[in-house]
Tab-separated table of all heavy atoms in Angstrom:
chain	number	residue	atom	x	y	z
E	199	SER	N	122.078	110.849	107.926
E	199	SER	CA	122.470	109.363	108.226
E	199	SER	C	121.339	108.545	108.720
E	199	SER	O	120.615	109.005	109.755
E	199	SER	CB	123.540	109.461	109.350
E	199	SER	OG	123.821	108.069	109.923
E	200	HIS	N	120.976	107.608	108.023
E	200	HIS	CA	119.942	106.686	108.443
E	200	HIS	C	119.967	106.204	109.863
E	200	HIS	O	119.066	106.302	110.657
E	200	HIS	CB	119.782	105.458	107.437
E	200	HIS	CG	119.042	104.384	108.078
E	200	HIS	ND1	117.512	104.372	108.390
E	200	HIS	CD2	119.415	103.176	108.450
E	200	HIS	CE1	117.298	103.259	108.857
E	200	HIS	NE2	118.292	102.517	108.877
E	201	SER	N	121.201	105.708	110.198
E	201	SER	CA	121.299	105.132	111.511
E	201	SER	C	121.594	106.204	112.580
E	201	SER	O	121.352	105.902	113.747
E	201	SER	CB	122.559	104.195	111.446
E	201	SER	OG	123.761	104.906	111.299
E	202	GLY	N	122.071	107.398	112.137
E	202	GLY	CA	122.410	108.300	113.063
E	202	GLY	C	123.664	108.002	113.922
E	202	GLY	O	123.987	108.783	114.814
E	203	ARG	N	124.456	107.070	113.332
E	203	ARG	CA	125.705	106.660	114.043
E	203	ARG	C	126.863	106.709	113.097
E	203	ARG	O	127.933	106.178	113.472
E	203	ARG	CB	125.525	105.245	114.615
E	203	ARG	CG	124.503	105.220	115.645
E	203	ARG	CD	124.207	103.734	116.213
E	203	ARG	NE	123.329	103.709	117.263
E	203	ARG	CZ	123.455	104.087	118.502
E	203	ARG	NH1	124.691	104.423	118.876
E	203	ARG	NH2	122.571	104.000	119.376
E	204	THR	N	126.777	107.416	111.973
E	204	THR	CA	127.845	107.564	111.134
E	204	THR	C	128.809	108.530	111.655
E	204	THR	O	128.538	109.875	111.819
E	204	THR	CB	127.404	107.962	109.699
E	204	THR	OG1	126.531	107.106	109.226
E	204	THR	CG2	128.558	108.141	108.807
E	205	ARG	N	130.049	108.137	112.091
E	205	ARG	CA	130.853	109.041	112.858
E	205	ARG	C	131.308	110.257	112.121
E	205	ARG	O	131.292	111.317	112.723
E	205	ARG	CB	132.305	108.215	113.113
E	205	ARG	CG	133.321	108.970	113.958
E	205	ARG	CD	134.524	108.084	114.289
E	205	ARG	NE	134.262	106.913	114.843
E	205	ARG	CZ	134.160	106.731	116.118
E	205	ARG	NH1	134.250	107.773	116.926
E	205	ARG	NH2	133.956	105.452	116.659
E	206	GLU	N	131.548	110.221	110.940
E	206	GLU	CA	132.035	111.317	110.091
E	206	GLU	C	130.911	112.312	110.013
E	206	GLU	O	131.160	113.650	110.311
E	206	GLU	CB	132.320	111.001	108.705
E	206	GLU	CG	133.648	110.059	108.559
E	206	GLU	CD	133.236	108.696	108.690
E	206	GLU	OE1	132.148	108.302	109.104
E	206	GLU	OE2	134.121	107.811	108.151
E	207	VAL	N	129.612	111.984	109.933
E	207	VAL	CA	128.537	113.034	110.048
E	207	VAL	C	128.253	113.569	111.310
E	207	VAL	O	127.994	114.736	111.450
E	207	VAL	CB	127.250	112.259	109.445
E	207	VAL	CG1	126.038	113.169	109.436
E	207	VAL	CG2	127.454	111.670	108.121
E	208	ILE	N	128.339	112.846	112.311
E	208	ILE	CA	128.389	113.309	113.726
E	208	ILE	C	129.296	114.310	114.055
E	208	ILE	O	129.067	115.347	114.545
E	208	ILE	CB	128.267	112.162	114.766
E	208	ILE	CG1	127.176	111.222	114.503
E	208	ILE	CG2	128.339	112.676	116.174
E	208	ILE	CD1	127.345	109.809	115.254
E	209	GLU	N	130.624	114.056	113.672
E	209	GLU	CA	131.656	115.004	113.970
E	209	GLU	C	131.573	116.304	113.144
E	209	GLU	O	131.772	117.310	113.736
E	209	GLU	CB	133.040	114.265	113.578
E	209	GLU	CG	133.359	113.170	114.505
E	209	GLU	CD	134.717	112.449	113.972
E	209	GLU	OE1	135.043	112.672	112.768
E	209	GLU	OE2	135.265	111.679	114.682
E	210	THR	N	131.001	116.147	111.959
E	210	THR	CA	130.885	117.439	111.131
E	210	THR	C	129.781	118.263	111.743
E	210	THR	O	129.896	119.545	111.860
E	210	THR	CB	130.456	116.957	109.621
E	210	THR	OG1	131.520	116.264	109.039
E	210	THR	CG2	130.189	118.284	108.801
E	211	LEU	N	128.593	117.692	112.129
E	211	LEU	CA	127.585	118.468	112.694
E	211	LEU	C	127.951	119.058	114.177
E	211	LEU	O	127.530	120.123	114.371
E	211	LEU	CB	126.291	117.541	112.844
E	211	LEU	CG	124.995	118.287	112.530
E	211	LEU	CD1	124.979	118.752	111.137
E	211	LEU	CD2	123.879	117.392	112.698
E	212	ALA	N	128.721	118.275	114.825
E	212	ALA	CA	129.257	118.765	116.128
E	212	ALA	C	130.162	119.927	115.951
E	212	ALA	O	130.053	120.974	116.685
E	212	ALA	CB	129.882	117.635	116.844
E	213	GLU	N	131.047	119.937	114.868
E	213	GLU	CA	131.861	120.984	114.577
E	213	GLU	C	131.176	122.249	114.176
E	213	GLU	O	131.605	123.320	114.695
E	213	GLU	CB	132.910	120.558	113.533
E	213	GLU	CG	133.948	121.579	113.194
E	213	GLU	CD	135.048	121.766	114.317
E	213	GLU	OE1	135.236	120.847	114.929
E	213	GLU	OE2	135.550	122.896	114.355
E	214	ALA	N	130.280	122.089	113.379
E	214	ALA	CA	129.396	123.227	112.951
E	214	ALA	C	128.614	123.840	114.212
E	214	ALA	O	128.530	125.007	114.284
E	214	ALA	CB	128.331	122.781	111.886
E	215	ALA	N	128.193	123.071	115.030
E	215	ALA	CA	127.447	123.416	116.332
E	215	ALA	C	128.459	124.267	117.201
E	215	ALA	O	128.038	125.237	117.730
E	215	ALA	CB	126.872	122.285	117.060
E	216	ASP	N	129.635	123.758	117.285
E	216	ASP	CA	130.573	124.473	118.136
E	216	ASP	C	130.814	125.995	117.604
E	216	ASP	O	131.245	126.878	118.469
E	216	ASP	CB	131.975	123.833	118.139
E	216	ASP	CG	131.837	122.582	118.896
E	216	ASP	OD1	131.022	122.436	119.754
E	216	ASP	OD2	132.784	121.771	118.722
E	217	HIS	N	130.625	126.280	116.369
E	217	HIS	CA	130.850	127.524	115.838
E	217	HIS	C	129.494	128.396	115.588
E	217	HIS	O	129.522	129.506	114.962
E	217	HIS	CB	131.555	127.510	114.409
E	217	HIS	CG	132.933	126.827	114.642
E	217	HIS	ND1	134.042	127.603	115.028
E	217	HIS	CD2	133.304	125.538	114.511
E	217	HIS	CE1	135.113	126.824	115.105
E	217	HIS	NE2	134.740	125.599	114.849
E	218	GLY	N	128.431	127.882	116.044
E	218	GLY	CA	127.159	128.646	116.244
E	218	GLY	C	126.238	128.513	115.117
E	218	GLY	O	125.141	129.077	115.073
E	219	ALA	N	126.534	127.581	114.224
E	219	ALA	CA	125.656	127.371	113.025
E	219	ALA	C	124.346	126.522	113.567
E	219	ALA	O	124.469	125.879	114.582
E	219	ALA	CB	126.326	126.570	111.869
E	220	LEU	N	123.237	126.662	112.850
E	220	LEU	CA	122.126	125.946	113.069
E	220	LEU	C	122.326	124.552	112.551
E	220	LEU	O	122.798	124.423	111.403
E	220	LEU	CB	120.961	126.445	112.325
E	220	LEU	CG	119.627	125.711	112.511
E	220	LEU	CD1	119.055	125.799	113.995
E	220	LEU	CD2	118.537	126.121	111.507
E	221	THR	N	122.188	123.557	113.391
E	221	THR	CA	122.518	122.167	112.960
E	221	THR	C	121.235	121.371	112.729
E	221	THR	O	120.394	121.351	113.550
E	221	THR	CB	123.382	121.399	113.884
E	221	THR	OG1	122.826	121.605	115.268
E	221	THR	CG2	124.865	122.086	113.952
E	222	VAL	N	121.092	120.650	111.643
E	222	VAL	CA	119.883	119.930	111.338
E	222	VAL	C	120.288	118.454	111.020
E	222	VAL	O	121.200	118.182	110.277
E	222	VAL	CB	119.198	120.515	110.081
E	222	VAL	CG1	117.967	119.713	109.669
E	222	VAL	CG2	118.929	121.953	110.396
E	223	ALA	N	119.561	117.548	111.735
E	223	ALA	CA	119.886	116.114	111.412
E	223	ALA	C	118.694	115.556	110.724
E	223	ALA	O	117.468	115.736	111.092
E	223	ALA	CB	120.156	115.329	112.801
E	224	VAL	N	118.912	114.632	109.701
E	224	VAL	CA	117.916	113.863	109.095
E	224	VAL	C	118.235	112.378	109.247
E	224	VAL	O	119.300	111.920	108.695
E	224	VAL	CB	117.727	114.149	107.605
E	224	VAL	CG1	116.703	113.373	106.821
E	224	VAL	CG2	117.524	115.642	107.406
E	225	THR	N	117.535	111.661	110.121
E	225	THR	CA	117.877	110.317	110.536
E	225	THR	C	116.560	109.600	110.863
E	225	THR	O	115.558	110.194	111.173
E	225	THR	CB	118.722	110.428	111.719
E	225	THR	OG1	119.078	109.122	112.174
E	225	THR	CG2	118.086	111.165	112.941
Side-chain angles (χ1 to χ4, degrees):
S199 169
H200 158 68
S201 68
R203 296 182 178 278
T204 305
R205 183 183 301 275
E206 294 89 341
V207 181
I208 297 168
E209 290 175 347
T210 298
L211 220 60
E213 184 68 31
D216 286 345
H217 297 278
L220 177 73
T221 52
V222 181
V224 181
T225 177

